[in-house]
Amino acid sequence: MPFAAFSLKTYVLCVDDNSLSDEELDRARGVFASRLADISTTEGENYLGFALIHKGTEGLTVSSFWWVQGCVLCHDHVRIPFNGVDPISGIRAHVLGCVWELDLIHFERNAWQQSMMQPQPNAKDYLKAWFKPADA
């Protein structure tokens, strides 16, 4: 998904084989567009990374992750609770991700290291590398 200076591979995780509704997907796109528009970017820098839309039992989590300075992973996420109450709102800024997202984050770290932290970084290879769950 391209957003301004960002090129993000987008993953969708859903609990119990649910799927995202068109409304939920549109809402997630809106969150990505508005949140990433507020990030300071530098001309000529690649803002490659990945995005997660995670539909859990209690809400929708919209997370973006992007790489800067060759090896630093940045992140932003927003929780949209289904019932309007976020039980961990007081620590939300410190949350990295749900346990179900961590394998994907680890995969993306390895894909970045293998494609971009090389003598000849290859953004196309990074963007072509996609996580495949073990049970898929």
Side-chain angles (χ1 to χ4, degrees):
M1 233 185 268
F3 293 102
F6 296 84
S7 294
L8 306 178
K9 299 184 271 184
T10 304
Y11 296 96
V12 175
L13 303 172
C14 295
V15 69
D16 298 330
D17 294 324
N18 287 329
S19 60
L20 287 179
S21 68
D22 289 340
E23 179 183 327
E24 290 166 333
L25 184 56
D26 287 344
R27 191 159 185 198
R29 284 184 181 136
V31 168
F32 287 131
S34 67
R35 300 284 291 203
L36 293 173
D38 289 339
I39 306 288
S40 294
T41 57
T42 303
E43 187 72 30
E45 177 81 29
N46 287 331
Y47 292 93
L48 304 176
F50 56 103
L52 299 173
I53 305 168
H54 188 169
K55 183 177 182 178
T57 56
E58 297 178 8
L60 193 65
T61 302
V62 180
S63 304
S64 53
F65 299 82
W66 64 96
W67 297 96
V68 298
Q69 298 181 345
C71 64
V72 176
L73 183 61
C74 301
H75 83 284
D76 177 75
H77 69 259
V78 172
R79 179 76 166 162
I80 306 166
F82 294 139
N83 66 1
V85 177
D86 183 356
I88 61 170
S89 63
I91 61 168
R92 179 63 55 198
H94 305 287
V95 172
L96 176 63
C98 169
V99 67
W100 303 113
E101 299 165 358
L102 296 180
D103 281 344
L104 193 152
I105 293 167
H106 180 73
F107 169 85
E108 286 293 326
R109 173 250 182 228
N110 289 340
W112 182 262
Q113 186 178 28
Q114 293 165 6
S115 61
M116 297 298 291
M117 296 181 72
Q118 301 298 322
Q120 297 295 323
N122 191 324
K124 287 182 183 180
D125 280 355
Y126 173 71
L127 292 171
K128 284 195 257 181
W130 287 86
F131 176 74
K132 293 173 186 71
D135 60 353

